[in-house]
Amino acid sequence: ISKAMTWPTICALTRAVQKDIDVAAEALQFAKHKRIHTGIGTSDSHIRYKFNSNREEIIERAVAAVKYARRYVEDVEFYAEDAGRTDNEYLARVVEAVIKAGATVVNIPDTTGYCLPGEYGAKIKYLMEHVDGIHNAVISTHCHNDLGMATANTMAGARQVEVTINGIGERAGNTSLEEVAMIIRCHKDIDIETNINTQKIYPTSRMVSSLMNMPVQPNKAIVGRNAFAHSSGIHQDGVLKNVQTYEIIDPHDVGIDDNSIVLTARSGRAALKNRLQVLGVSLDQQKLDKIYEDFLKLADKKKDINDDDILVLAGGGRSPDHCIKTPKP
């Protein structure tokens, strides 16, 4: 990766252990822009049970790791693992100490996905207001989705956000890149330019899903197969009249060809009429009503109605073998 990339910063993650940092530096030797990301747990739970240590010793280890990493690179990020459950006053002490030691980025992870958005936002605000030298470093979010709040927490107002494609990650996953990118794009009042080519979002999502053999849930925001599919009759009618009725994102903006009107038992006449027109079939209202009755009967027996089924109902095609027929007694 270090050899292949040009303008992106390549970051190697380590524990606050000298050997880890040595190996990270070796891996980064060919990178044009390099960063070492080191850190240690700061919550009382981590300090007591994971490290069998105390608060003062953890600060010493954090400072030592940052200083050691600075021997190799100028850009050093520090993570305070489990910052979400770390006392704000102590967290501020840790952050201030590592910035003085040379950290250029400070990561405030909600490692267990525990924080409520207001609570996490207040934590970032507290650090901005109580850490001497805070403006000498970039504050970063790193949120997990254990309680489904990763994206909401990530929008807390930090300068850097740590995200993953499709929200993949430990346990319930991390914040989704696609969600943050499209929130910023949709909410013009945020006034931030990410420089992300959003039209690459969907194809990249498919590629990651395929290569990692990790299917994307159908109702996943932005990249799920149902994200731009409309099956409710009320929604379909609204979208056909004006797409903005039920869509805040243009599918083309994320690399999807178009929205999808899915014909199901919940579809109305408007959706059926639209599909028939797309297929080149024009009917008067009386004929449409009759076909709609037949459509509902078929839809009750068959989950997805395809174009061949519609043409058969309209009398424009031969009865296919897959049409469901009720056997005679």
Side-chain angles (χ1 to χ4, degrees):
I1 293 172
S2 293
K3 290 179 178 179
M5 297 295 99
T6 53
W7 64 266
T9 295
I10 308 303
C11 180
L13 182 68
T14 82
R15 297 170 296 172
V17 175
Q18 287 192 1
K19 181 60 177 175
D20 280 22
I21 296 170
D22 291 337
V23 172
E26 183 180 355
L28 290 168
Q29 61 179 311
F30 298 108
K32 304 291 188 299
H33 307 282
K34 57 190 73 175
R35 174 185 296 177
I36 291 177
H37 187 177
T38 190
I40 197 166
T42 56
S43 68
D44 287 338
S45 175
H46 278 231
I47 293 171
R48 185 179 307 160
Y49 301 114
K50 184 176 176 180
F51 299 113
N52 190 26
S53 186
N54 58 67
R55 286 184 168 189
E56 298 307 318
E57 184 178 305
I58 290 299
I59 291 179
E60 291 176 8
R61 291 179 62 177
V63 167
V66 170
K67 287 182 175 179
Y68 190 74
R70 279 299 298 257
R71 293 170 54 182
Y72 288 111
V73 296
E74 293 183 0
D75 189 3
V76 174
E77 180 170 353
F78 174 83
Y79 64 85
E81 189 175 13
D82 206 18
R85 295 189 296 173
T86 299
D87 171 72
N88 285 353
E89 185 178 350
Y90 175 64
L91 181 62
R93 288 180 58 203
V94 175
V95 171
E96 187 170 311
V98 297
I99 291 175
K100 287 180 179 177
T104 51
V105 181
V106 181
N107 178 15
I108 312 299
D110 184 22
T111 305
T112 59
Y114 174 77
C115 288
L116 294 169
E119 179 184 10
Y120 187 74
K123 188 178 290 287
I124 300 296
K125 187 173 187 289
Y126 182 91
L127 295 175
M128 296 301 294
E129 294 176 348
H130 293 85
V131 172
D132 184 34
I134 190 71
H135 297 292
N136 294 324
V138 170
I139 302 301
S140 177
T141 65
H142 178 109
C143 300
H144 284 259
N145 205 37
D146 297 72
L147 293 176
M149 295 184 289
T151 299
N153 284 338
T154 295
M155 302 306 296
R159 178 64 185 84
Q160 173 178 292
V161 297
E162 299 181 12
V163 294
T164 64
I165 297 293
N166 298 341
I168 59 176
E170 190 79 357
R171 303 181 311 279
N174 289 69
T175 305
S176 299
L177 177 147
E178 58 272 14
E179 292 174 13
V180 174
M182 295 314 294
I183 286 172
I184 293 172
R185 185 181 178 97
C186 287
H187 287 264
K188 305 300 183 183
D189 55 308
I190 295 178
D191 195 26
I192 292 174
E193 175 56 53
T194 65
N195 201 32
I196 292 172
N197 182 352
T198 60
Q199 291 185 334
K200 298 291 186 182
I201 284 178
Y202 189 74
T204 302
S205 167
R206 296 296 96 191
M207 179 181 69
V208 170
S209 175
S210 175
L211 292 176
M212 297 191 71
N213 194 26
M214 293 180 67
V216 176
Q217 67 187 67
N219 61 331
K220 168 75 174 65
I222 314 299
V223 293
R225 72 168 182 263
N226 292 346
F228 296 95
H230 306 279
S231 59
S232 160
I234 295 172
H235 284 225
Q236 290 174 339
D237 182 55
V239 166
L240 290 171
K241 289 174 178 174
N242 187 321
V243 70
Q244 293 182 350
T245 307
Y246 287 104
E247 282 186 9
I248 60 171
I249 299 171
D250 184 338
H252 298 94
D253 286 347
V254 296
I256 297 174
D257 287 341
D258 214 335
N259 64 28
S260 174
I261 300 294
V262 181
L263 295 179
T264 70
R266 296 186 298 129
S267 298
R269 286 174 176 78
L272 178 60
K273 182 179 180 180
N274 177 73
R275 182 61 62 84
L276 285 165
Q277 289 176 340
V278 170
L279 294 173
V281 180
S282 182
L283 303 170
D284 60 33
Q285 190 62 43
Q286 185 177 0
K287 180 66 173 175
L288 177 64
D289 290 342
K290 175 61 175 69
I291 291 177
Y292 184 64
E293 290 179 13
D294 294 338
F295 162 77
L296 289 179
K297 292 176 184 177
L298 181 60
D300 279 337
K301 300 172 184 177
K302 187 178 182 184
K303 183 179 178 182
D304 294 318
I305 306 298
N306 60 40
D307 289 349
D308 285 339
D309 297 326
I310 298 300
L311 288 172
V312 169
L313 291 174
R318 290 174 294 178
S319 179
D321 293 337
H322 65 262
C323 275
I324 298 174
K325 299 182 178 70
T326 304
K328 294 180 180 180

